[in-house]
Amino acid sequence: MTTTGWRWARAAAAAALLAFGGGASAAGRVIEVKAKRFEFSPAELRLKLGEPVTLRVTSADVTHGFYQKELGIDAEIEPGRATEVALTPTRAGRFTLICDHFCGAGHGNMRLVLVVE
Amino acid sequence: MRHPIDRRSFLRIAGLSLGAGALYRVAPALAAGPGGRDTARRLARANGEGVTPFSFVQLSDTHVGFRGPPNPTGTLAFERAVEVVNGLREQPELVLFTGDLTHDAEGRAERLARMRRFQQLASGLRAKARHAVPGEHDAAIDGGALYREVFGETSYAFDHRGVHFVALDNVSRPKPEIGAERLAWLRQDLARYPVTAPIVVFTHRPLFDLKPEWEWFTRDGAEAMKLLAPYENVTVLYGHIHREHVHQEPNGRHVAARSLIFAFPDPAAAAEKKPAPFDPQRPFRNLGPRLLHAGPGASSRTLALGMEEVELTLREHSGTEGFQQLLRPSTLEG
Ligand SMILES: [Cu+2]
């Protein structure tokens, strides 16, 4: 599951880079993340310590939150537009990112694990 | 004027875990020695209403309507908690519910039925003064609209025997937060009290960063604690985390009660926020009354083991004249 999720993310990132005209953006590699009640996909992302990335997050249904306190991530994901979150991980470890905008009865379990190595 | 009393002890709130919630004794020292009685007289003279000893109970996270693998017994732990509280020799004067009274459902009719069922079960308590705040399972789906219809306001305050109680809603907005409007209300409410007033805030989510990754925090909880910072005797009671926890901050002590549905693990030891699995041998383990399935003669021992003293020692009296201004609106001061 983890491996599949990672491959999926890598493919999505490649696609996004093309869409952004070759990835010349200063924010680095672009990774697509989809939010829908009550999951993020992929559910896990592997990031490299010190490598800048942009998470490009879209919602398939309602407004979701995108929150990871230690990494300083705090965004609102509204349906109908992509929200870009620039990030350069400065600490290794597993960080659980949560949806912190109530989105329904399964909201409490909506999370994305960021593995920084 | 010097007060010939042990200031440290007279404002003590001592908590005792029942296994079904927590029992708090407020200011027992007031009734104890001659010094305490002297203080009580002085406070009463100054205020009209002094702090007098009483006890209250906190129950939390009953999640009425929940059925699932971590708890196939439904409301049984809640029902037993009512019995345990009713069986206390010293009846509590108040029962506070710190949220997630019901488990959420998508339909309004089902949500209403669960709230009514909660009320029915809670009405079995001998203590008639019952106060609640919502949890996100009660209120987040519709901004607290149905909760207000059934239970009334989600944030409010009242005084009981010289202690100021504040019910603080941090669940009915889409985000885990109190919100600017409610913080403004809190500021106004607190402004009526001198810094020595004993204050008990009860809320659902922790007002400090216990475990943000598990949504065990309130985004603007620090704002509320900042408003409470000048007050010397602040205790915050909360639920949400389905386990006992005591956390001391410079300007207040935060205490969580156990749930009456299922328990969450220690976030320091567990990788994931997953309910503790159901143990049919000990259905109320880490929850409600542990004595239910204890063998003959074992129940009192089990209950005794389940009790854990949670000392909520309030900060020392500042040495001002005390409670003269307590319970008076700020416009009457000076
Ligand atoms: Cu969500």
Side-chain angles (χ1 to χ4, degrees), chain A residues 10-117:
Chain A
R10 200 200 274 278
L17 285 173
L18 284 176
F20 274 76
S25 147
R29 185 158 70 92
V30 176
I31 302 172
E32 295 278 346
V33 177
K34 294 227 179 311
K36 70 166 204 272
R37 303 165 82 220
F38 302 102
E39 59 183 31
F40 291 108
S41 58
E44 181 173 314
L45 282 178
R46 284 174 185 272
L47 305 173
K48 283 204 182 67
L49 195 64
E51 186 202 335
V53 291
T54 294
L55 307 180
R56 194 167 180 278
V57 197
T58 49
S59 167
D61 42 42
V62 297
T63 300
H64 294 279
F66 201 68
Y67 187 82
Q68 215 302 322
K69 181 150 185 144
E70 288 164 277
L71 298 178
I73 299 174
D74 184 6
E76 197 86 329
I77 314 302
E78 279 152 17
R81 66 180 186 87
T83 302
E84 296 199 344
V85 177
L87 166 73
T88 306
T90 55
R91 273 180 55 196
R94 279 174 74 87
F95 302 90
T96 304
L97 179 151
I98 58 170
C99 166
D100 76 331
H101 185 116
F102 188 85
C103 59
H107 159 79
N109 294 317
M110 184 160 169
R111 54 193 159 219
L112 164 64
V113 176
L114 300 171
V115 183
V116 180
E117 50 198 5

Side-chain angles (χ1 to χ4, degrees), chain B residues 16-21 80-81 83-85 87-89 244 258 284 287-295 297-309:
Chain B
L16 191 64
S17 165
L18 300 173
R80 285 292 291 125
E83 284 173 34
V84 167
V85 174
L88 292 171
R89 209 176 307 136
E244 282 182 335
R258 286 185 243 169
F284 302 127
L287 286 192
R290 298 174 187 174
L291 68 167
L292 189 72
H293 279 246
S299 58
S300 63
R301 185 179 58 90
T302 312
L303 183 62
L305 284 177
M307 286 192 192
E308 193 185 326
E309 193 94 29

Side-chain angles (χ1 to χ4, degrees), chain B residues 104-153:
Chain B
D104 47 2
E106 295 282 349
R108 184 193 145 91
E110 180 57 26
R111 291 179 63 222
L112 183 60
R114 290 176 184 196
M115 289 181 185
R116 294 287 181 222
R117 178 79 182 129
F118 170 89
Q119 286 180 316
Q120 192 185 13
L121 292 170
S123 71
L125 285 160
R126 283 166 62 195
K128 291 305 166 206
R130 299 183 287 265
H131 302 273
V133 285
E136 81 280 9
H137 287 275
D138 304 302
I141 207 161
D142 64 352
L146 185 61
Y147 181 95
R148 277 187 199 92
E149 276 178 42
V150 176
F151 296 100
E153 262 317 309

Side-chain angles (χ1 to χ4, degrees), chain B residues 19-54:
Chain B
L23 173 72
Y24 300 92
R25 290 199 168 84
V26 177
L30 277 185
R37 282 193 291 274
D38 183 44
T39 305
R41 268 196 301 275
R42 196 189 349 270
L43 291 176
R45 215 169 33 236
N47 298 332
E49 183 180 9
V51 182
T52 48
F54 68 99

